[in-house]
Amino acid sequence: MPTDVEEWKSEVYGNEIREHLERFAEEGWEAIPEDEHDAWFERFKWWGLYHQRNGQESYFMMRIGTPNGVLKPGQAKVVADITQEFAHGPEENPIFGNGYVDWTTRQSIQLHWIKVEDVPEIFDRLDEVGLSTQQACGDSWRNIVGCPVAGKDKHEHVDALPVAEGLHETYKGHEDHTNLPRKWKVAVTGCREGCGQGDINDLAYEPASKEVDGEEVRGFNVRVGGGLARNEPRLSRDLDVFVTPEQAVEVGGGLSALFRDYGDREDRYNARMKFLVDEMGAEEIRETLQEEYVDFELETAGENLREDYSYNSGRETGGHSDHVGVHEQNDGNYYVGLNVLVGRMSDDDTAELARVADEYGSGEVRVTQRQNVIITDVPEEDLGDLREEPLLEDYSPDPHPFMRGSVACTGTEFCSLSIVETKNRQVRYARWLKEHVDLPDGIDDFHVHLSGCTASCAQPQIADVSLRGMKTRKDGEAVEALDIGLGGGLGAEPRFADWVTQRVPVDEVPGAIKNLLANFEERREGDETFRDFVERTDEDTLADLVEPEETSYEDPMMHNTKMTWYPYAEDDDMAASPAPTDRDGQSLPSDD
Amino acid sequence: MSVALRILDDGAWVSVDDTRRVAVSELWRVPGVEFCRCDLADIVVEGFLEVGVDGRTVEARLYGQCIVCGESGTTGWLPVGRIVDGEFYDLDREGGAAPTGPTPENG
């Protein structure tokens, strides 16, 4: 039997949702029929709008897709303006204030506290500069990710940016690919470091070479069925297909159509490509693709570059594991990667970022999968002045490893799925660790990813220390807790973290990391990395080395933040919520 | 009077009449759970699998982990609320949610 979601999608889905959004915007929040909320909120996702969680009714998260993380000149300023004007909520966040941009792990942008009444105006402003929220969420082609410095990287194998843009232009709004069984996440990588993270995507293009008709051709190997969600992480599997950049769009469409036709529409848990690959196997997927979905003979896989992958790998390979810092481009200019702690930047700082990018670079800003931003095209002679800009004091190109390594999802502040508070907590953790913990010699990269639930938006399974939201009891009281995993990473031999310790009360996690690092330093052999150490140590021993402990770290959000209307409100009780509100932010009468 | 019951957000919520009512991530004390040997399991609810109604009682099957013994698994039908005059009323699950009988149907 089709699910409710499939029923709703069969009635209204895709581009036409925009017309309904515009109607609701004109008539106001109350025009959305109460007994159709579930259906409309599901549909709105296709146009990049997520209804925020309980207690925040009538407010939306808006996601803007930026293919390959590229914001073209002028676009960052418009994002800042929209945030300043439309993304302020009824309460301030104690760390980030009111009005902020979240740079996400899929190289997109998320804004919060958006009112449906403002959506048409926001869409118009985005349209004017070539940005869109279309398919940023929902069951279709999501924002395409890739190496954020594609086309500018000195050492890249092939420029993947035209391929990412080609896929984006072809399949955004394409009627045949509008309504898939579930989300469809695509990564296109052309660099030698593996920055596209294809291993955790539904469809991955990975740099490769192949001799075709006696000539060496550069292009991509194709992999399918990776993903992290639902306690069922999978690495993408080799499809044994090589494509040229020119063939990539057709093959991607073929695989998307195969997923559309063969994917499970009766059980949304089972609807992702990774489960279809489990079921059919890569070989049968390839045969089906060849027989039913492409018109030319597929080449077998070429020679890949996976041995050299360094991004998010936890290895010392000599390659980079993120894009923070100053790096020379292929044209002699430089790109400057700025660390954005947990990916959140105030509206004013985003405006400043746009100004700085315009003044020193080409005006372009790029977003990375580690929630950071990059200013591109800076002439060497301007680097000194750029470094003196006040913005770089807060968003450093040379941050402390605990700041640099922090990634966090949205959490219970806004998200319906999360179990615990995340972004503010990871900021508190990073600051405490920076002050109280010394990393062993030579450890410049140490990644701590905090995800509020098993959806894994912070990609916890590929960090040195993986933190995942849980609950436990402490002194008889229910408190927020975290499972702790160790030693995950991508690279030549990708590996998901081992969850060695479960349900650690959140106030004991910084102590656990401190003790873990001390134990690592004591047992470390030579200059091995943390991941190397974890891999040669058995799980029971690792669990013993974690040692959760209360320290001087105090956590103000131990309680059930999900059951507050907004965890940082002075009166956080659900009954104190001003939501739902009208177009001016005034409370509307509630039925309850 | 019919009541719309469904699971939303990848199993994170039970929705009753288009309103999210019961969330994952809470601790529920449940006697006699199939997947662990604790007399009174203390379960972190990680995901809802099914929702149904038996008479006026809204019930759900869920996946979770007992924090007393660490075992994970799927429960039978557990009561999560009651429908009275068409309105949903939450139950105190922290205090103890006794398993209910079979045969729920989507309302």
Side-chain angles (χ1 to χ4, degrees), chain A residues 177-190:
Chain A
H177 303 267
T178 288
N179 179 358
L180 302 178
R182 278 294 252 124
K183 61 184 84 170
W184 180 250
K185 293 179 171 177
V186 179
V188 187
T189 309

Side-chain angles (χ1 to χ4, degrees), chain A residues 481-542:
Chain A
L482 296 170
D483 289 343
I484 299 180
L486 302 178
L490 296 178
E493 302 119 17
R495 172 183 189 276
F496 297 130
D498 291 328
W499 296 100
V500 299
T501 306
Q502 297 192 315
R503 300 183 304 282
V504 178
V506 289
D507 62 335
E508 298 177 26
V509 170
I513 295 173
K514 180 176 194 252
N515 291 333
L516 173 67
L517 282 168
N519 287 325
F520 163 50
E521 187 164 27
E522 199 178 303
R523 290 163 177 76
R524 189 180 184 197
E525 290 178 0
D527 57 357
E528 71 180 346
T529 68
F530 184 75
R531 179 178 166 187
D532 295 336
F533 166 71
V534 170
E535 284 182 348
R536 69 167 173 81
T537 308
D538 69 77
E539 204 168 308
D540 289 343
T541 305
L542 288 170

Side-chain angles (χ1 to χ4, degrees), chain A residues 374-387:
Chain A
I374 301 169
I375 296 170
T376 59
D377 308 318
V378 182
E380 186 174 10
E381 61 269 26
D382 294 336
L383 285 171
D385 287 344
L386 171 58
R387 281 180 181 277

Side-chain angles (χ1 to χ4, degrees), chain B residues 28-43 49-50 60-66 69-79 97-102:
Chain B
W28 293 14
R29 288 199 164 102
V30 186
V33 174
E34 295 87 340
F35 64 77
C36 81
R37 293 184 177 181
C38 299
D39 290 337
L40 187 62
D42 203 357
I43 299 175
L49 303 170
E50 284 184 275
R61 289 182 61 242
L62 55 93
Y63 175 83
Q65 185 180 48
C66 175
C69 67
E71 289 293 322
S72 291
T74 300
T75 70
W77 291 95
L78 300 175
T100 60

Side-chain angles (χ1 to χ4, degrees), chain A residues 1-5 7 266, chain B residues 1-8 14-17 48-55 57-61 77 80 83 102-107:
Chain A
M1 198 172 86
T3 60
D4 284 342
V5 174
E7 296 273 3
E266 297 193 350
Chain B
M1 184 182 295
S2 70
V3 177
L5 296 173
R6 57 180 69 97
I7 307 284
L8 290 181
V14 171
S15 166
V16 183
D17 278 340
F48 292 107
L49 303 170
E50 284 184 275
V51 61
V53 63
D54 184 9
T57 304
V58 177
E59 306 171 318
R61 289 182 61 242
W77 291 95
V80 299
I83 306 287
T103 69
E105 291 175 15
N106 284 334

Side-chain angles (χ1 to χ4, degrees), chain A residues 347-360:
Chain A
D347 47 6
D348 291 343
D349 288 347
T350 306
E352 188 63 1
L353 171 69
R355 180 192 69 76
V356 167
D358 199 44
E359 190 169 326
Y360 297 93

